[in-house]
mmCIF file of all heavy atoms in Angstrom:
data_model
loop_
_atom_site.group_PDB
_atom_site.id
_atom_site.type_symbol
_atom_site.label_atom_id
_atom_site.label_comp_id
_atom_site.label_asym_id
_atom_site.label_seq_id
_atom_site.Cartn_x
_atom_site.Cartn_y
_atom_site.Cartn_z
ATOM 1 N N LYS P 474 -40.518 0.565 -49.929
ATOM 2 C CA LYS P 474 -40.037 -0.151 -51.096
ATOM 3 C C LYS P 474 -40.283 0.652 -52.371
ATOM 4 O O LYS P 474 -41.078 1.578 -52.384
ATOM 5 C CB LYS P 474 -40.669 -1.508 -51.186
ATOM 6 C CG LYS P 474 -40.212 -2.469 -50.106
ATOM 7 C CD LYS P 474 -40.860 -3.846 -50.237
ATOM 8 C CE LYS P 474 -40.328 -4.788 -49.148
ATOM 9 N NZ LYS P 474 -40.956 -6.130 -49.260
ATOM 10 N N GLN P 475 -39.633 0.247 -53.449
ATOM 11 C CA GLN P 475 -39.636 1.056 -54.656
ATOM 12 C C GLN P 475 -41.012 1.165 -55.263
ATOM 13 O O GLN P 475 -41.347 2.165 -55.871
ATOM 14 C CB GLN P 475 -38.671 0.399 -55.682
ATOM 15 C CG GLN P 475 -38.213 1.349 -56.821
ATOM 16 C CD GLN P 475 -37.238 2.410 -56.293
ATOM 17 O OE1 GLN P 475 -36.640 2.207 -55.296
ATOM 18 N NE2 GLN P 475 -37.163 3.549 -56.935
ATOM 19 N N LYS P 476 -41.840 0.118 -55.118
ATOM 20 C CA LYS P 476 -43.186 0.140 -55.737
ATOM 21 C C LYS P 476 -44.047 1.260 -55.219
ATOM 22 O O LYS P 476 -44.729 1.932 -55.996
ATOM 23 C CB LYS P 476 -43.883 -1.206 -55.512
ATOM 24 C CG LYS P 476 -43.230 -2.384 -56.186
ATOM 25 C CD LYS P 476 -43.969 -3.675 -55.886
ATOM 26 C CE LYS P 476 -43.288 -4.891 -56.515
ATOM 27 N NZ LYS P 476 -44.035 -6.145 -56.207
ATOM 28 N N ALA P 477 -44.050 1.434 -53.899
ATOM 29 C CA ALA P 477 -44.890 2.455 -53.321
ATOM 30 C C ALA P 477 -44.134 3.772 -53.038
ATOM 31 O O ALA P 477 -44.755 4.844 -52.957
ATOM 32 C CB ALA P 477 -45.507 1.961 -52.017
ATOM 33 N N TRP P 478 -42.829 3.701 -52.860
ATOM 34 C CA TRP P 478 -42.029 4.863 -52.479
ATOM 35 C C TRP P 478 -42.084 5.979 -53.556
ATOM 36 O O TRP P 478 -42.101 7.158 -53.259
ATOM 37 C CB TRP P 478 -40.610 4.454 -52.172
ATOM 38 C CG TRP P 478 -39.791 5.553 -51.566
ATOM 39 C CD1 TRP P 478 -38.887 6.347 -52.170
ATOM 40 C CD2 TRP P 478 -39.785 5.909 -50.175
ATOM 41 N NE1 TRP P 478 -38.305 7.178 -51.291
ATOM 42 C CE2 TRP P 478 -38.849 6.972 -50.041
ATOM 43 C CE3 TRP P 478 -40.471 5.521 -49.079
ATOM 44 C CZ2 TRP P 478 -38.598 7.580 -48.830
ATOM 45 C CZ3 TRP P 478 -40.233 6.112 -47.887
ATOM 46 C CH2 TRP P 478 -39.292 7.169 -47.763
ATOM 47 N N ASP P 479 -42.086 5.563 -54.827
ATOM 48 C CA ASP P 479 -42.038 6.570 -55.912
ATOM 49 C C ASP P 479 -43.309 7.352 -56.017
ATOM 50 O O ASP P 479 -43.304 8.453 -56.623
ATOM 51 C CB ASP P 479 -41.750 5.883 -57.226
ATOM 52 C CG ASP P 479 -40.394 5.207 -57.267
ATOM 53 O OD1 ASP P 479 -39.494 5.697 -56.467
ATOM 54 O OD2 ASP P 479 -40.167 4.270 -58.032
ATOM 55 N N HIS P 480 -44.404 6.861 -55.494
ATOM 56 C CA HIS P 480 -45.701 7.539 -55.639
ATOM 57 C C HIS P 480 -45.949 8.592 -54.563
ATOM 58 O O HIS P 480 -46.923 9.360 -54.661
ATOM 59 C CB HIS P 480 -46.842 6.534 -55.604
ATOM 60 C CG HIS P 480 -46.772 5.511 -56.733
ATOM 61 N ND1 HIS P 480 -47.046 5.838 -58.070
ATOM 62 C CD2 HIS P 480 -46.376 4.197 -56.730
ATOM 63 C CE1 HIS P 480 -46.847 4.759 -58.791
ATOM 64 N NE2 HIS P 480 -46.461 3.727 -58.019
ATOM 65 N N PHE P 481 -45.096 8.641 -53.548
ATOM 66 C CA PHE P 481 -45.301 9.665 -52.511
ATOM 67 C C PHE P 481 -44.513 10.920 -52.842
ATOM 68 O O PHE P 481 -43.496 10.898 -53.568
ATOM 69 C CB PHE P 481 -44.771 9.127 -51.152
ATOM 70 C CG PHE P 481 -45.547 7.915 -50.608
ATOM 71 C CD1 PHE P 481 -44.975 6.678 -50.478
ATOM 72 C CD2 PHE P 481 -46.871 8.099 -50.241
ATOM 73 C CE1 PHE P 481 -45.673 5.616 -49.991
ATOM 74 C CE2 PHE P 481 -47.568 7.018 -49.761
ATOM 75 C CZ PHE P 481 -46.974 5.772 -49.659
ATOM 76 N N SER P 482 -45.016 12.034 -52.316
ATOM 77 C CA SER P 482 -44.324 13.293 -52.531
ATOM 78 C C SER P 482 -43.117 13.389 -51.583
ATOM 79 O O SER P 482 -42.914 12.545 -50.725
ATOM 80 C CB SER P 482 -45.277 14.465 -52.278
ATOM 81 O OG SER P 482 -45.700 14.454 -50.928
ATOM 82 N N LYS P 483 -42.341 14.451 -51.759
ATOM 83 C CA LYS P 483 -41.129 14.591 -51.002
ATOM 84 C C LYS P 483 -41.436 14.829 -49.492
ATOM 85 O O LYS P 483 -40.820 14.236 -48.602
ATOM 86 C CB LYS P 483 -40.296 15.803 -51.508
ATOM 87 C CG LYS P 483 -38.934 15.906 -50.895
ATOM 88 C CD LYS P 483 -38.151 17.016 -51.565
ATOM 89 C CE LYS P 483 -36.718 17.094 -50.970
ATOM 90 N NZ LYS P 483 -35.946 18.158 -51.626
ATOM 91 N N ALA P 484 -42.470 15.637 -49.209
ATOM 92 C CA ALA P 484 -42.847 15.870 -47.824
ATOM 93 C C ALA P 484 -43.393 14.591 -47.190
ATOM 94 O O ALA P 484 -43.121 14.283 -46.013
ATOM 95 C CB ALA P 484 -43.897 16.963 -47.743
ATOM 96 N N GLN P 485 -44.184 13.824 -47.944
ATOM 97 C CA GLN P 485 -44.711 12.585 -47.440
ATOM 98 C C GLN P 485 -43.605 11.578 -47.155
ATOM 99 O O GLN P 485 -43.634 10.839 -46.151
ATOM 100 C CB GLN P 485 -45.714 11.998 -48.433
ATOM 101 C CG GLN P 485 -46.991 12.801 -48.536
ATOM 102 C CD GLN P 485 -47.918 12.315 -49.611
ATOM 103 O OE1 GLN P 485 -47.523 11.511 -50.461
ATOM 104 N NE2 GLN P 485 -49.160 12.783 -49.606
ATOM 105 N N ARG P 486 -42.597 11.521 -48.061
ATOM 106 C CA ARG P 486 -41.493 10.623 -47.805
ATOM 107 C C ARG P 486 -40.729 10.972 -46.513
ATOM 108 O O ARG P 486 -40.318 10.129 -45.756
ATOM 109 C CB ARG P 486 -40.514 10.661 -49.002
ATOM 110 C CG ARG P 486 -41.062 10.016 -50.239
ATOM 111 C CD ARG P 486 -40.044 10.152 -51.384
ATOM 112 N NE ARG P 486 -40.557 9.604 -52.617
ATOM 113 C CZ ARG P 486 -39.884 9.653 -53.784
ATOM 114 N NH1 ARG P 486 -38.685 10.211 -53.816
ATOM 115 N NH2 ARG P 486 -40.398 9.141 -54.873
ATOM 116 N N LYS P 487 -40.564 12.296 -46.351
ATOM 117 C CA LYS P 487 -39.860 12.761 -45.135
ATOM 118 C C LYS P 487 -40.618 12.384 -43.878
ATOM 119 O O LYS P 487 -40.040 11.817 -42.919
ATOM 120 C CB LYS P 487 -39.685 14.256 -45.193
ATOM 121 C CG LYS P 487 -38.838 14.800 -44.082
ATOM 122 C CD LYS P 487 -38.624 16.306 -44.259
ATOM 123 C CE LYS P 487 -37.761 16.902 -43.124
ATOM 124 N NZ LYS P 487 -37.567 18.328 -43.283
ATOM 125 N N ASN P 488 -41.956 12.529 -43.903
ATOM 126 C CA ASN P 488 -42.756 12.151 -42.746
ATOM 127 C C ASN P 488 -42.717 10.670 -42.489
ATOM 128 O O ASN P 488 -42.613 10.172 -41.374
ATOM 129 C CB ASN P 488 -44.198 12.641 -42.936
ATOM 130 C CG ASN P 488 -44.336 14.134 -42.835
ATOM 131 O OD1 ASN P 488 -43.526 14.803 -42.217
ATOM 132 N ND2 ASN P 488 -45.355 14.694 -43.515
ATOM 133 N N LEU P 489 -42.820 9.905 -43.571
ATOM 134 C CA LEU P 489 -42.734 8.421 -43.457
ATOM 135 C C LEU P 489 -41.439 7.978 -42.869
ATOM 136 O O LEU P 489 -41.364 7.066 -42.035
ATOM 137 C CB LEU P 489 -42.988 7.778 -44.805
ATOM 138 C CG LEU P 489 -44.417 7.846 -45.363
ATOM 139 C CD1 LEU P 489 -44.444 7.322 -46.785
ATOM 140 C CD2 LEU P 489 -45.365 7.035 -44.510
ATOM 141 N N ASP P 490 -40.349 8.615 -43.302
ATOM 142 C CA ASP P 490 -39.026 8.253 -42.781
ATOM 143 C C ASP P 490 -38.923 8.544 -41.271
ATOM 144 O O ASP P 490 -38.416 7.765 -40.508
ATOM 145 C CB ASP P 490 -37.952 9.015 -43.554
ATOM 146 C CG ASP P 490 -36.554 8.382 -43.378
ATOM 147 O OD1 ASP P 490 -36.536 7.309 -42.741
ATOM 148 O OD2 ASP P 490 -35.568 8.978 -43.864
ATOM 149 N N VAL P 491 -39.419 9.706 -40.867
ATOM 150 C CA VAL P 491 -39.388 10.089 -39.420
ATOM 151 C C VAL P 491 -40.233 9.131 -38.600
ATOM 152 O O VAL P 491 -39.828 8.648 -37.560
ATOM 153 C CB VAL P 491 -39.848 11.546 -39.247
ATOM 154 C CG1 VAL P 491 -39.997 11.867 -37.798
ATOM 155 C CG2 VAL P 491 -38.867 12.499 -39.919
#
Side-chain angles (χ1 to χ4, degrees):
K474 290 182 180 179
Q475 199 71 24
K476 295 179 181 179
W478 189 261
D479 295 337
H480 298 288
F481 295 115
S482 63
K483 189 174 182 180
Q485 290 174 346
R486 290 179 182 177
K487 186 176 180 180
N488 291 334
L489 288 172
D490 199 6
V491 172

